[in-house]
PDB file of all heavy atoms in Angstrom:
ATOM      1  N   ALA C   1      99.532 100.550  97.431  1.00 96.00           N
ATOM      2  CA  ALA C   1      98.348 100.895  98.226  1.00 96.00           C
ATOM      3  C   ALA C   1      97.138 101.079  97.323  1.00 96.00           C
ATOM      4  O   ALA C   1      97.255 101.446  96.147  1.00 96.00           O
ATOM      5  CB  ALA C   1      98.596 102.164  99.038  1.00 96.00           C
ATOM      6  N   LEU C   2      95.967 100.831  97.884  1.00 96.00           N
ATOM      7  CA  LEU C   2      94.704 101.042  97.178  1.00 96.00           C
ATOM      8  C   LEU C   2      93.618 101.289  98.214  1.00 96.00           C
ATOM      9  O   LEU C   2      93.852 101.151  99.408  1.00 96.00           O
ATOM     10  CB  LEU C   2      94.366  99.830  96.300  1.00 96.00           C
ATOM     11  CG  LEU C   2      94.419  98.426  96.917  1.00 96.00           C
ATOM     12  CD1 LEU C   2      93.147  98.106  97.701  1.00 96.00           C
ATOM     13  CD2 LEU C   2      94.618  97.372  95.844  1.00 96.00           C
ATOM     14  N   ASP C   3      92.431 101.648  97.739  1.00 96.00           N
ATOM     15  CA  ASP C   3      91.327 101.841  98.663  1.00 96.00           C
ATOM     16  C   ASP C   3      90.085 101.150  98.138  1.00 96.00           C
ATOM     17  O   ASP C   3      89.960 100.880  96.936  1.00 96.00           O
ATOM     18  CB  ASP C   3      91.053 103.332  98.889  1.00 96.00           C
ATOM     19  CG  ASP C   3      90.501 104.024  97.656  1.00 96.00           C
ATOM     20  OD1 ASP C   3      91.311 104.498  96.828  1.00 96.00           O
ATOM     21  OD2 ASP C   3      89.268 104.091  97.512  1.00 96.00           O
ATOM     22  N   ALA C   4      89.161 100.859  99.054  1.00 97.00           N
ATOM     23  CA  ALA C   4      87.896 100.207  98.734  1.00 97.00           C
ATOM     24  C   ALA C   4      86.892 100.599  99.800  1.00 97.00           C
ATOM     25  O   ALA C   4      87.283 100.950 100.928  1.00 97.00           O
ATOM     26  CB  ALA C   4      88.066  98.686  98.697  1.00 97.00           C
ATOM     27  N   PRO C   5      85.600 100.572  99.501  1.00 97.00           N
ATOM     28  CA  PRO C   5      84.615 100.868 100.539  1.00 97.00           C
ATOM     29  C   PRO C   5      84.811  99.952 101.743  1.00 97.00           C
ATOM     30  O   PRO C   5      84.846  98.732 101.604  1.00 97.00           O
ATOM     31  CB  PRO C   5      83.276 100.605  99.841  1.00 97.00           C
ATOM     32  CG  PRO C   5      83.559 100.836  98.389  1.00 97.00           C
ATOM     33  CD  PRO C   5      84.949 100.316  98.184  1.00 97.00           C
ATOM     34  N   HIS C   6      84.958 100.546 102.906  1.00 98.00           N
ATOM     35  CA  HIS C   6      85.243  99.753 104.102  1.00 98.00           C
ATOM     36  C   HIS C   6      84.131  98.764 104.406  1.00 98.00           C
ATOM     37  O   HIS C   6      84.377  97.669 104.929  1.00 98.00           O
ATOM     38  CB  HIS C   6      85.459 100.700 105.293  1.00 98.00           C
ATOM     39  CG  HIS C   6      85.935 100.010 106.527  1.00 98.00           C
ATOM     40  ND1 HIS C   6      85.228 100.034 107.718  1.00 98.00           N
ATOM     41  CD2 HIS C   6      87.050  99.258 106.764  1.00 98.00           C
ATOM     42  CE1 HIS C   6      85.891  99.325 108.624  1.00 98.00           C
ATOM     43  NE2 HIS C   6      86.989  98.857 108.074  1.00 98.00           N
ATOM     44  N   ALA C   7      82.909  99.129 104.062  1.00 97.00           N
ATOM     45  CA  ALA C   7      81.767  98.254 104.336  1.00 97.00           C
ATOM     46  C   ALA C   7      81.564  97.183 103.265  1.00 97.00           C
ATOM     47  O   ALA C   7      80.699  96.315 103.424  1.00 97.00           O
ATOM     48  CB  ALA C   7      80.492  99.087 104.479  1.00 97.00           C
ATOM     49  N   ALA C   8      82.339  97.239 102.176  1.00 97.00           N
ATOM     50  CA  ALA C   8      82.272  96.198 101.145  1.00 97.00           C
ATOM     51  C   ALA C   8      83.139  95.031 101.618  1.00 97.00           C
ATOM     52  O   ALA C   8      84.269  94.826 101.159  1.00 97.00           O
ATOM     53  CB  ALA C   8      82.747  96.735  99.802  1.00 97.00           C
ATOM     54  N   VAL C   9      82.605  94.265 102.542  1.00 96.00           N
ATOM     55  CA  VAL C   9      83.390  93.268 103.280  1.00 96.00           C
ATOM     56  C   VAL C   9      84.031  92.241 102.349  1.00 96.00           C
ATOM     57  O   VAL C   9      85.202  91.891 102.512  1.00 96.00           O
ATOM     58  CB  VAL C   9      82.492  92.558 104.322  1.00 96.00           C
ATOM     59  CG1 VAL C   9      83.284  91.477 105.052  1.00 96.00           C
ATOM     60  CG2 VAL C   9      81.942  93.568 105.312  1.00 96.00           C
ATOM     61  N   ARG C  10      83.275  91.759 101.370  1.00 95.00           N
ATOM     62  CA  ARG C  10      83.814  90.719 100.494  1.00 95.00           C
ATOM     63  C   ARG C  10      85.006  91.233  99.689  1.00 95.00           C
ATOM     64  O   ARG C  10      86.009  90.532  99.513  1.00 95.00           O
ATOM     65  CB  ARG C  10      82.715  90.231  99.549  1.00 95.00           C
ATOM     66  CG  ARG C  10      83.105  89.037  98.681  1.00 95.00           C
ATOM     67  CD  ARG C  10      81.880  88.430  98.022  1.00 95.00           C
ATOM     68  NE  ARG C  10      82.219  87.305  97.168  1.00 95.00           N
ATOM     69  CZ  ARG C  10      82.342  87.381  95.848  1.00 95.00           C
ATOM     70  NH1 ARG C  10      82.140  88.542  95.242  1.00 95.00           N
ATOM     71  NH2 ARG C  10      82.660  86.321  95.139  1.00 95.00           N
ATOM     72  N   LEU C  11      84.921  92.477  99.203  1.00 96.00           N
ATOM     73  CA  LEU C  11      86.013  93.059  98.435  1.00 96.00           C
ATOM     74  C   LEU C  11      87.233  93.293  99.317  1.00 96.00           C
ATOM     75  O   LEU C  11      88.373  92.965  98.932  1.00 96.00           O
ATOM     76  CB  LEU C  11      85.554  94.363  97.790  1.00 96.00           C
ATOM     77  CG  LEU C  11      86.579  95.111  96.938  1.00 96.00           C
ATOM     78  CD1 LEU C  11      87.073  94.244  95.788  1.00 96.00           C
ATOM     79  CD2 LEU C  11      85.980  96.416  96.415  1.00 96.00           C
ATOM     80  N   VAL C  12      87.027  93.864 100.490  1.00 97.00           N
ATOM     81  CA  VAL C  12      88.144  94.111 101.401  1.00 97.00           C
ATOM     82  C   VAL C  12      88.798  92.795 101.821  1.00 97.00           C
ATOM     83  O   VAL C  12      90.034  92.691 101.880  1.00 97.00           O
ATOM     84  CB  VAL C  12      87.671  94.905 102.640  1.00 97.00           C
ATOM     85  CG1 VAL C  12      88.789  95.008 103.683  1.00 97.00           C
ATOM     86  CG2 VAL C  12      87.204  96.297 102.235  1.00 97.00           C
ATOM     87  N   ASP C  13      87.995  91.775 102.071  1.00 97.00           N
ATOM     88  CA  ASP C  13      88.547  90.464 102.433  1.00 97.00           C
ATOM     89  C   ASP C  13      89.393  89.886 101.302  1.00 97.00           C
ATOM     90  O   ASP C  13      90.416  89.232 101.556  1.00 97.00           O
ATOM     91  CB  ASP C  13      87.422  89.494 102.787  1.00 97.00           C
ATOM     92  CG  ASP C  13      86.838  89.754 104.166  1.00 97.00           C
ATOM     93  OD1 ASP C  13      87.439  90.532 104.931  1.00 97.00           O
ATOM     94  OD2 ASP C  13      85.780  89.172 104.481  1.00 97.00           O
ATOM     95  N   PHE C  14      88.964  90.101 100.069  1.00 96.00           N
ATOM     96  CA  PHE C  14      89.754  89.636  98.923  1.00 96.00           C
ATOM     97  C   PHE C  14      91.144  90.261  98.938  1.00 96.00           C
ATOM     98  O   PHE C  14      92.162  89.567  98.797  1.00 96.00           O
ATOM     99  CB  PHE C  14      89.032  89.969  97.619  1.00 96.00           C
ATOM    100  CG  PHE C  14      89.892  89.835  96.389  1.00 96.00           C
ATOM    101  CD1 PHE C  14      90.366  88.599  95.986  1.00 96.00           C
ATOM    102  CD2 PHE C  14      90.224  90.952  95.637  1.00 96.00           C
ATOM    103  CE1 PHE C  14      91.167  88.473  94.857  1.00 96.00           C
ATOM    104  CE2 PHE C  14      91.017  90.844  94.509  1.00 96.00           C
ATOM    105  CZ  PHE C  14      91.493  89.602  94.115  1.00 96.00           C
ATOM    106  N   TYR C  15      91.218  91.571  99.121  1.00 97.00           N
ATOM    107  CA  TYR C  15      92.524  92.244  99.161  1.00 97.00           C
ATOM    108  C   TYR C  15      93.362  91.764 100.344  1.00 97.00           C
ATOM    109  O   TYR C  15      94.581  91.582 100.210  1.00 97.00           O
ATOM    110  CB  TYR C  15      92.337  93.759  99.230  1.00 97.00           C
ATOM    111  CG  TYR C  15      91.816  94.369  97.948  1.00 97.00           C
ATOM    112  CD1 TYR C  15      90.725  95.235  97.946  1.00 97.00           C
ATOM    113  CD2 TYR C  15      92.417  94.085  96.725  1.00 97.00           C
ATOM    114  CE1 TYR C  15      90.249  95.795  96.771  1.00 97.00           C
ATOM    115  CE2 TYR C  15      91.953  94.639  95.545  1.00 97.00           C
ATOM    116  CZ  TYR C  15      90.867  95.493  95.572  1.00 97.00           C
ATOM    117  OH  TYR C  15      90.393  96.039  94.411  1.00 97.00           O
ATOM    118  N   ARG C  16      92.722  91.538 101.470  1.00 97.00           N
ATOM    119  CA  ARG C  16      93.481  91.072 102.638  1.00 97.00           C
ATOM    120  C   ARG C  16      94.014  89.663 102.415  1.00 97.00           C
ATOM    121  O   ARG C  16      95.121  89.332 102.863  1.00 97.00           O
ATOM    122  CB  ARG C  16      92.615  91.152 103.891  1.00 97.00           C
ATOM    123  CG  ARG C  16      92.206  92.585 104.225  1.00 97.00           C
ATOM    124  CD  ARG C  16      91.419  92.708 105.505  1.00 97.00           C
ATOM    125  NE  ARG C  16      92.309  92.636 106.665  1.00 97.00           N
ATOM    126  CZ  ARG C  16      91.962  93.023 107.884  1.00 97.00           C
ATOM    127  NH1 ARG C  16      90.745  93.497 108.102  1.00 97.00           N
ATOM    128  NH2 ARG C  16      92.810  92.937 108.879  1.00 97.00           N
ATOM    129  N   ARG C  17      93.258  88.831 101.726  1.00 96.00           N
ATOM    130  CA  ARG C  17      93.772  87.491 101.402  1.00 96.00           C
ATOM    131  C   ARG C  17      94.966  87.567 100.463  1.00 96.00           C
ATOM    132  O   ARG C  17      95.809  86.661 100.449  1.00 96.00           O
ATOM    133  CB  ARG C  17      92.670  86.633 100.772  1.00 96.00           C
ATOM    134  CG  ARG C  17      91.599  86.169 101.743  1.00 96.00           C
ATOM    135  CD  ARG C  17      90.791  85.029 101.144  1.00 96.00           C
ATOM    136  NE  ARG C  17      90.166  85.397  99.880  1.00 96.00           N
ATOM    137  CZ  ARG C  17      88.975  85.949  99.774  1.00 96.00           C
ATOM    138  NH1 ARG C  17      88.270  86.242 100.860  1.00 96.00           N
ATOM    139  NH2 ARG C  17      88.465  86.242  98.592  1.00 96.00           N
ATOM    140  N   GLU C  18      95.056  88.634  99.689  1.00 95.00           N
ATOM    141  CA  GLU C  18      96.186  88.826  98.788  1.00 95.00           C
ATOM    142  C   GLU C  18      97.369  89.501  99.473  1.00 95.00           C
ATOM    143  O   GLU C  18      98.339  89.873  98.810  1.00 95.00           O
ATOM    144  CB  GLU C  18      95.744  89.647  97.569  1.00 95.00           C
ATOM    145  CG  GLU C  18      94.730  88.938  96.687  1.00 95.00           C
ATOM    146  CD  GLU C  18      95.227  87.582  96.226  1.00 95.00           C
ATOM    147  OE1 GLU C  18      96.327  87.532  95.637  1.00 95.00           O
ATOM    148  OE2 GLU C  18      94.524  86.565  96.455  1.00 95.00           O
ATOM    149  N   GLY C  19      97.289  89.664 100.781  1.00 96.00           N
ATOM    150  CA  GLY C  19      98.415  90.180 101.540  1.00 96.00           C
ATOM    151  C   GLY C  19      98.371  91.651 101.889  1.00 96.00           C
ATOM    152  O   GLY C  19      99.307  92.171 102.517  1.00 96.00           O
ATOM    153  N   PHE C  20      97.307  92.350 101.502  1.00 97.00           N
ATOM    154  CA  PHE C  20      97.182  93.764 101.842  1.00 97.00           C
ATOM    155  C   PHE C  20      96.714  93.905 103.293  1.00 97.00           C
ATOM    156  O   PHE C  20      95.892  93.120 103.769  1.00 97.00           O
ATOM    157  CB  PHE C  20      96.193  94.457 100.905  1.00 97.00           C
ATOM    158  CG  PHE C  20      96.725  94.685  99.518  1.00 97.00           C
ATOM    159  CD1 PHE C  20      96.702  93.670  98.569  1.00 97.00           C
ATOM    160  CD2 PHE C  20      97.262  95.917  99.161  1.00 97.00           C
ATOM    161  CE1 PHE C  20      97.196  93.872  97.294  1.00 97.00           C
ATOM    162  CE2 PHE C  20      97.760  96.129  97.887  1.00 97.00           C
ATOM    163  CZ  PHE C  20      97.730  95.100  96.940  1.00 97.00           C
ATOM    164  N   GLN C  21      97.237  94.915 103.959  1.00 96.00           N
ATOM    165  CA  GLN C  21      96.875  95.169 105.353  1.00 96.00           C
ATOM    166  C   GLN C  21      96.114  96.488 105.458  1.00 96.00           C
ATOM    167  O   GLN C  21      96.438  97.468 104.775  1.00 96.00           O
ATOM    168  CB  GLN C  21      98.134  95.233 106.225  1.00 96.00           C
ATOM    169  CG  GLN C  21      98.889  93.926 106.298  1.00 96.00           C
ATOM    170  CD  GLN C  21     100.087  93.999 107.234  1.00 96.00           C
ATOM    171  OE1 GLN C  21     100.562  95.083 107.582  1.00 96.00           O
ATOM    172  NE2 GLN C  21     100.587  92.850 107.646  1.00 96.00           N
ATOM    173  N   LEU C  22      95.114  96.497 106.310  1.00 97.00           N
ATOM    174  CA  LEU C  22      94.347  97.714 106.559  1.00 97.00           C
ATOM    175  C   LEU C  22      95.200  98.668 107.385  1.00 97.00           C
ATOM    176  O   LEU C  22      95.608  98.342 108.500  1.00 97.00           O
ATOM    177  CB  LEU C  22      93.059  97.368 107.302  1.00 97.00           C
ATOM    178  CG  LEU C  22      92.130  98.534 107.635  1.00 97.00           C
ATOM    179  CD1 LEU C  22      91.559  99.147 106.362  1.00 97.00           C
ATOM    180  CD2 LEU C  22      91.005  98.061 108.554  1.00 97.00           C
ATOM    181  N   VAL C  23      95.480  99.849 106.830  1.00 95.00           N
ATOM    182  CA  VAL C  23      96.334 100.808 107.528  1.00 95.00           C
ATOM    183  C   VAL C  23      95.586 102.073 107.939  1.00 95.00           C
ATOM    184  O   VAL C  23      96.078 102.843 108.765  1.00 95.00           O
ATOM    185  CB  VAL C  23      97.556 101.197 106.659  1.00 95.00           C
ATOM    186  CG1 VAL C  23      98.440  99.982 106.412  1.00 95.00           C
ATOM    187  CG2 VAL C  23      97.122 101.831 105.336  1.00 95.00           C
ATOM    188  N   ASP C  24      94.399 102.277 107.382  1.00 95.00           N
ATOM    189  CA  ASP C  24      93.653 103.480 107.745  1.00 95.00           C
ATOM    190  C   ASP C  24      92.224 103.345 107.227  1.00 95.00           C
ATOM    191  O   ASP C  24      91.936 102.533 106.344  1.00 95.00           O
ATOM    192  CB  ASP C  24      94.302 104.728 107.132  1.00 95.00           C
ATOM    193  CG  ASP C  24      93.881 106.021 107.814  1.00 95.00           C
ATOM    194  OD1 ASP C  24      93.080 105.957 108.774  1.00 95.00           O
ATOM    195  OD2 ASP C  24      94.355 107.094 107.395  1.00 95.00           O
ATOM    196  N   VAL C  25      91.328 104.119 107.811  1.00 96.00           N
ATOM    197  CA  VAL C  25      89.954 104.252 107.331  1.00 96.00           C
ATOM    198  C   VAL C  25      89.645 105.741 107.286  1.00 96.00           C
ATOM    199  O   VAL C  25      89.844 106.450 108.277  1.00 96.00           O
ATOM    200  CB  VAL C  25      88.938 103.522 108.248  1.00 96.00           C
ATOM    201  CG1 VAL C  25      87.517 103.757 107.748  1.00 96.00           C
ATOM    202  CG2 VAL C  25      89.245 102.033 108.307  1.00 96.00           C
ATOM    203  N   MET C  26      89.205 106.234 106.129  1.00 95.00           N
ATOM    204  CA  MET C  26      88.959 107.658 105.984  1.00 95.00           C
ATOM    205  C   MET C  26      87.890 107.886 104.927  1.00 95.00           C
ATOM    206  O   MET C  26      87.579 106.986 104.137  1.00 95.00           O
ATOM    207  CB  MET C  26      90.244 108.393 105.601  1.00 95.00           C
ATOM    208  CG  MET C  26      90.843 107.980 104.257  1.00 95.00           C
ATOM    209  SD  MET C  26      92.354 108.889 103.883  1.00 95.00           S
ATOM    210  CE  MET C  26      91.765 110.566 103.898  1.00 95.00           C
ATOM    211  N   ARG C  27      87.345 109.084 104.925  1.00 96.00           N
ATOM    212  CA  ARG C  27      86.336 109.434 103.925  1.00 96.00           C
ATOM    213  C   ARG C  27      86.911 110.481 102.980  1.00 96.00           C
ATOM    214  O   ARG C  27      87.342 111.563 103.410  1.00 96.00           O
ATOM    215  CB  ARG C  27      85.061 109.953 104.580  1.00 96.00           C
ATOM    216  CG  ARG C  27      83.970 110.314 103.574  1.00 96.00           C
ATOM    217  CD  ARG C  27      82.593 110.426 104.207  1.00 96.00           C
ATOM    218  NE  ARG C  27      82.156 109.158 104.776  1.00 96.00           N
ATOM    219  CZ  ARG C  27      80.884 108.884 105.046  1.00 96.00           C
ATOM    220  NH1 ARG C  27      79.939 109.759 104.782  1.00 96.00           N
ATOM    221  NH2 ARG C  27      80.561 107.720 105.588  1.00 96.00           N
TER     222      ARG C  27
END
């Protein structure tokens, strides 16, 4: 597991392309 700014769309998309799934959003 890891975290990244939810609004950093390009970074989050990179992780999702690598097979990571969004499981939560929190501050």
Side-chain angles (χ1 to χ4, degrees):
L2 50 81
D3 68 272
H6 188 240
V9 178
R10 186 167 179 261
L11 180 59
V12 173
D13 284 348
F14 166 66
Y15 289 130
R16 297 183 78 163
R17 287 196 302 271
E18 295 305 305
F20 286 82
Q21 295 183 342
L22 180 66
V23 296
D24 199 0
V25 177
M26 63 180 301
R27 181 163 297 199

